[in-house]
Amino acid sequence: MPALGGTPHDSEPETAMTPQLESDREPCREKTQSDDAHCDESQPWSRRAFLSGTALTLCGLAAGRAEAFANLQAEAVSLGHRDAPWYPLHVPTETSADLSTLTCAPALVDMGDGTLRGVLAYNGGFPGPTWIARTGDWITVKLVNQLNEPTITHWHGLVVNYANDGGPLLEIGPGAAYDYNFQIKQRAGLNFYHPHTHMLTGKQVCLGLAGAFIVRDAEEDALALPSGAYEVPLVIRDASFDNHGNLTYNPTTSGFNGKFPLVNGTLRPTLTVDRGVYRFRVLNGANARVFRLALSNGAPFTVIGNDGGLLRAPANVTPIDLGMAERLDLLIDFSALSAGQTVSLRCLAAKWDLLQFVGTGAPGIPYAVPATLSTIAPLVGPSQPSRTFTFDGMSRINGLEYDPYRIDFRVPFGVTERWRFKTGGNAPHPVHVHGASFQVVSRTGGRGKLYPWESGWKDTVLLSDRETVDVVIRFAAYQGEYDGQYVMHCHQLEHEGMGMMTNFKVI
Ligand SMILES: [Cu+2]
């Protein structure tokens, strides 16, 4: 694994990409009555909220908080400066498999700068608590909806039956609760829980409802990977504030495009690192942004895992395009980073420094990556596609917008199929399938190749403009008219909300 050099802390690198709030901020204006409704009603993709008159917003949560807004203005000015403040990376609270209640509610959180900002939170956390469970554990948790609109939680990456999958028809109203009860039957990996509420997913995720769900198993244990303080989840997303400094959801026709990045809900985060190897569990938690991840000194990442857990073998690679809802398991060796030196995790596409690492100079844990991480048998499917799905425009699959009551196709249980995903444009379309993981076998058109982080098992694959991607998939966990009902959809959440989703059953 390559060891990093760094940049002395006191010399500003020429290519620094400090997130700029000043030029991107929404114009200062007086709060008007329409502000209390701006999150929804004017947006055509929020047709459900429009129709129902649902008006959950953060807008009223901290209304009149002029003080917070003044702080934001002062901060925005300072950000044009090389001494822009960086704040310690927040690491979400961990919870074990036996968490009994998961409550969705508005909350005020500090994103690092001391200002309390309105978000929607799971158990008060932004992101929500990081679940740490093991294969075989049972999850028995009550979801409590303290929002003023429906919600339901989906366990992205966890293979569960219909009743536990959090699909759009399972939503619960304000004040209601939903009982989940399922066993984790899959291998170790980083998963992602978030609302999957019909036509409200994009808004609820954007306003803060998301968290990491880590599964561990004996295979992973045997690798003795960096752990404790040396294993850090990184939930990366973009965000925008309203005039009161609260998170806001203001998508355009091309999706929500936040003005600045957050990692684990922290503005301009910094993490002090010892001279050793760290394991980062990375999730793209954005609604509509692909991150092109790289380190500021050009060193490659060592990728050891992705959506579905460990890869067969580590891969040293940079940059990495990480689509929405995709995950990475990365090792970074900071053994060459001396006290006070910095190196940053960047998004080359947005020209943002996402996270600044600052060396402590203290000895860390060395780690030699094994040449083989896992045994992954290739899933052998047909040479020709069993089914083809075209992702049309911004709202259709095979020409159809989502209808929660229409079953579009049925898949035989236990049979290996080859699914083809195609698009002519309006990408990125990260295609996510519920109910099974798949293996990506080809990409033609567009980027024209597969990448090391797409090997092994995946549940989300990035489809860029004019690409055709084939995956091999086999549903072998749940089946039946009820238990076997799942969705497949685009994880550009505004596309999903507009209808780029389909129902199917595993029979
Ligand atoms: Cu899409």
Side-chain angles (χ1 to χ4, degrees):
M1 186 177 6
L4 290 178
T7 304
H9 197 35
D10 57 0
S11 75
E12 184 74 359
E14 273 182 31
T15 53
M17 294 194 280
T18 304
Q20 298 292 316
L21 290 188
E22 185 173 18
S23 59
D24 287 327
R25 281 178 35 71
E26 293 179 9
C28 174
R29 59 189 170 90
E30 290 298 311
K31 180 174 180 289
T32 64
Q33 193 171 10
S34 67
D35 282 339
D36 283 326
H38 81 280
C39 302
D40 290 314
E41 275 75 358
S42 62
Q43 310 295 355
W45 41 85
S46 294
R47 50 198 164 123
R48 166 184 169 144
F50 179 78
L51 290 171
S52 68
T54 300
L56 169 138
T57 71
L58 297 168
C59 312
L61 186 67
R65 286 175 39 246
E67 185 183 349
F69 184 46
N71 290 345
L72 191 62
Q73 286 182 299
E75 174 184 279
V77 171
S78 72
L79 281 176
H81 204 263
R82 53 172 283 183
D83 297 322
W86 290 72
Y87 303 109
L89 177 74
H90 170 63
V91 177
T93 308
E94 289 186 3
T95 185
S96 56
D98 58 7
L99 182 71
S100 60
T101 305
L102 190 65
T103 301
C104 300
L108 291 170
V109 299
D110 176 0
M111 298 187 188
D113 61 350
T115 300
L116 290 179
R117 304 176 187 280
V119 302
L120 302 183
Y122 281 116
N123 287 2
F126 175 64
T130 301
W131 295 69
I132 308 286
R134 292 187 68 83
T135 303
D137 281 350
W138 280 88
I139 304 298
T140 303
V141 66
K142 183 183 293 293
L143 176 72
V144 176
N145 181 5
Q146 292 183 359
L147 310 177
N148 64 4
E149 65 183 19
T151 195
I152 192 68
T153 296
H154 168 57
W155 314 91
H156 184 129
L158 296 183
V159 175
V160 295
N161 64 347
Y162 174 74
N164 286 293
D165 199 42
L169 288 177
L170 298 175
E171 64 184 33
I172 53 169
Y178 191 91
D179 289 310
Y180 293 89
N181 184 38
F182 59 88
Q183 189 177 26
I184 297 173
K185 296 181 176 179
Q186 64 203 73
R187 68 200 296 251
L190 169 62
N191 303 284
F192 171 29
Y193 66 100
H194 63 77
H196 214 306
T197 325
H198 189 42
M199 294 187 188
L200 294 174
T201 299
K203 173 183 160 189
Q204 293 181 355
V205 171
C206 186
L207 293 183
L209 290 171
F213 194 118
I214 291 173
V215 176
R216 303 200 189 282
D217 67 8
E219 181 189 42
E220 183 190 277
D221 293 346
L223 295 178
L225 288 159
S227 62
Y230 299 107
E231 180 189 13
V232 185
L234 301 178
V235 179
I236 303 173
R237 56 165 290 179
D238 54 353
S240 293
F241 292 141
D242 69 11
N243 288 347
H244 305 291
N246 302 318
L247 285 188
T248 191
Y249 181 55
N250 52 354
T252 67
T253 50
S254 59
F256 175 79
N257 189 15
K259 303 299 185 191
F260 54 89
L262 294 173
V263 181
N264 295 349
T266 314
L267 286 162
R268 295 178 301 280
T270 185
L271 179 68
T272 56
V273 290
D274 298 336
R275 299 184 73 149
V277 178
Y278 282 69
R279 180 184 188 192
F280 293 102
R281 315 300 300 272
V282 183
L283 160 66
N284 180 345
N287 281 37
R289 181 182 294 275
V290 176
F291 291 99
R292 175 162 291 180
L293 300 175
L295 292 166
S296 55
N297 62 357
F301 302 104
T302 299
V303 185
I304 61 167
N306 59 4
D307 309 358
L310 293 167
L311 307 184
R312 290 185 186 90
N316 291 328
V317 60
T318 191
I320 298 175
D321 284 334
L322 191 67
M324 297 79 90
E326 288 189 298
R327 285 90 74 201
L328 290 171
D329 198 342
L330 300 178
L331 299 180
I332 302 179
D333 184 352
F334 295 107
S335 60
L337 199 66
S338 55
Q341 281 190 313
T342 65
V343 65
S344 294
L345 174 67
R346 291 184 165 164
C347 173
L348 299 182
K351 298 186 166 52
W352 281 339
D353 274 350
L354 301 170
L355 172 60
Q356 184 184 65
F357 302 107
V358 182
T360 64
I365 307 293
Y367 186 78
V369 191
T372 300
L373 298 166
S374 179
T375 302
I376 298 178
L379 197 55
V380 179
S383 59
Q384 294 302 313
S386 315
R387 305 169 197 277
T388 297
F389 303 95
T390 62
F391 289 76
D392 307 320
M394 292 184 285
S395 64
R396 285 164 288 122
I397 297 175
N398 289 346
L400 295 175
E401 285 188 2
Y402 181 64
D403 174 347
Y405 299 100
R406 186 188 68 227
I407 304 300
D408 291 321
F409 61 103
R410 288 164 195 267
V411 185
F413 180 81
V415 175
T416 305
E417 295 195 340
R418 184 183 184 108
W419 289 13
R420 176 163 291 177
F421 306 134
K422 299 175 66 171
T423 190
N426 296 298
H429 302 299
V431 180
H432 173 47
V433 182
H434 294 214
S437 292
F438 51 74
Q439 295 181 0
V440 188
V441 293
S442 72
R443 174 182 284 113
T444 56
R447 292 170 292 164
K449 63 173 186 175
L450 300 179
Y451 297 89
W453 59 88
E454 297 179 307
S455 65
W457 291 101
K458 294 278 289 171
D459 55 53
T460 307
V461 65
L462 186 57
L463 193 58
S464 292
D465 283 344
R466 294 174 300 284
E467 288 184 353
T468 297
V469 171
D470 282 10
V471 306
V472 176
I473 191 165
R474 178 171 172 266
F475 293 85
Y478 299 96
Q479 67 182 121
E481 287 294 331
Y482 186 74
D483 275 352
Q485 183 174 328
Y486 294 108
V487 292
M488 175 177 72
H489 61 91
C490 177
H491 222 285
Q492 202 271 35
L493 295 180
E494 286 68 45
H495 289 181
E496 176 193 321
M498 288 189 285
M500 194 173 265
M501 179 152 63
T502 178
N503 281 321
F504 64 94
K505 288 187 178 184
V506 177
I507 300 295

